[in-house]
Amino acid sequence: MHRQNKIYIGLLGGMNFSSAHVVKDYSLLVTTPQSAINNEDTEKDYQKLFKNKGSQFGLYLSYSFSKNLSVVFEPSYQTNSFNYRTAYSWSDTVNGSDFSMEMMHQQKLSGVNLPLLVRWDFTVSQFSPYVQAGIFTNFKHQAKKTIFYDYAIDGEVDKKTADKTGEADMTEHINKANFGLSAGVGFTYFANYFAVSLESNFQYGFRSMVNDQNRYADYTGFSVQYLDVLDQLKLMNLNFQLTVMFPIDNSISLGILRKSRH
């Protein structure tokens, strides 16, 4: 397959999974020597990578410098999520009553993702595996939060049966832009008039996600009632996506130009 000096354009779509890397813990509760709880009781329990699902869709653009080397630009609108569990209980010695609540905090972040990658194809045949790596920038559009809760502290909150809050806007809690590294693998099937790729990419953002100036601002209305405050964290993301692309053959356009000159 001839690929040198060829441009491909196309559409991409798929799903992604996110994991939060906590840089520093924060809590609204302060432990004292008289407290029945300790610092571990106030730490958030973050869900693992494949529990935090999102999606992306966008465009695909590539230019081949040689038969194996190309540069790829994949602008997309991406939604990520991360979830964490908290649980609190205490005794009211004045009224002689006990209270407990377990909560699952669900955050959904949406924005424009702009990865720029260098791709290396291992073969020049019709079926071609490849690796790619580069940088990305991300600009947040909006962030939403929902809390699911029940009154039994048993290590889990069933979203199907638990009570839940309304969806609150937490955009002001999140930094507007991020950047980082991206790397992935995939394979492409090249046909005469189109190509199809299946790939997976890992992204790690260098910038901390939460706006420190707005950390304790109660934009969601959840801080006091649900004892909610965000940790400082960085987000890792693993995506899987399908791309359908079409070649733009430069030789065809050059041939048309040559004919018009005769």
Side-chain angles (χ1 to χ4, degrees):
M1 301 293 290
H2 176 68
R3 302 179 199 169
Q4 189 170 349
N5 299 326
K6 183 169 287 188
I7 298 172
Y8 277 88
I9 62 172
L11 299 173
L12 64 86
M15 64 175 60
N16 64 75
F17 303 91
S18 300
S19 178
H21 170 214
V22 178
V23 178
K24 186 175 180 180
D25 299 319
Y26 288 89
S27 175
L28 289 181
L29 297 180
V30 178
T31 58
T32 67
Q34 294 76 28
S35 299
I37 62 174
N38 55 45
N39 288 331
E40 292 184 358
D41 293 328
T42 61
E43 290 181 357
K44 302 172 183 66
D45 179 19
Y46 286 86
Q47 289 197 310
K48 303 300 182 182
L49 177 70
F50 291 104
K51 295 289 187 178
N52 306 311
K53 188 167 65 173
S55 61
Q56 71 275 349
F57 60 91
L59 302 175
Y60 179 94
L61 302 167
S62 71
Y63 176 77
S64 301
F65 293 103
S66 68
K67 295 179 180 179
N68 301 92
L69 183 65
S70 58
V71 61
V72 177
F73 182 49
E74 297 179 333
S76 65
Y77 190 82
Q78 189 175 77
T79 299
N80 309 118
S81 70
F82 66 94
N83 306 286
Y84 59 85
R85 186 184 61 86
T86 59
Y88 302 107
S89 64
W90 58 81
S91 297
D92 188 338
T93 57
V94 176
N95 297 318
S97 61
D98 296 329
F99 177 82
S100 62
M101 178 182 285
E102 190 170 31
M103 293 166 278
M104 180 61 68
H105 303 250
Q106 176 181 277
Q107 287 74 209
K108 292 185 178 181
L109 316 177
S110 301
V112 178
N113 192 45
L114 303 172
L116 182 63
L117 308 167
V118 175
R119 166 173 162 164
W120 178 263
D121 283 76
F122 291 105
T123 71
V124 293
S125 61
Q126 200 168 29
F127 180 83
S128 181
Y130 61 87
V131 295
Q132 57 187 12
I135 59 174
F136 77 92
T137 55
N138 185 285
F139 299 96
K140 289 290 178 290
H141 170 226
Q142 63 181 7
K144 302 291 184 180
K145 182 182 181 77
T146 304
I147 298 178
F148 298 83
Y149 60 92
D150 59 34
Y151 300 99
I153 299 179
D154 54 8
E156 63 178 354
V157 178
D158 188 344
K159 294 181 180 180
K160 295 181 180 179
T161 59
D163 295 323
K164 70 174 183 177
T165 67
E167 190 176 60
D169 190 340
M170 58 176 290
T171 305
E172 296 300 322
H173 288 283
I174 305 299
N175 287 320
K176 304 300 182 186
N178 204 343
F179 66 95
L181 294 179
S182 179
V185 297
F187 61 85
T188 301
Y189 174 78
F190 290 93
N192 288 332
Y193 301 105
F194 69 94
V196 178
S197 289
L198 182 63
E199 68 179 33
S200 175
N201 299 287
F202 178 81
Q203 294 183 338
Y204 182 80
F206 289 152
R207 191 181 183 197
S208 297
M209 290 184 53
V210 180
N211 187 321
D212 286 314
Q213 294 181 344
N214 293 338
R215 181 181 307 282
Y216 292 102
D218 196 7
Y219 294 112
T220 61
F222 293 159
S223 294
V224 176
Q225 185 175 0
Y226 298 97
L227 302 176
D228 181 55
V229 61
L230 291 170
D231 292 335
Q232 187 54 274
L233 51 88
K234 297 181 180 180
L235 202 64
M236 298 173 283
N237 183 263
L238 178 66
N239 70 44
F240 300 92
Q241 59 192 28
L242 180 71
T243 304
V244 179
M245 48 192 170
F246 304 91
I248 299 178
D249 195 337
N250 295 339
S251 62
I252 295 177
S253 60
L254 290 174
I256 294 174
L257 289 174
R258 291 192 188 100
K259 290 180 181 179
S260 64
R261 291 174 182 172
H262 293 297

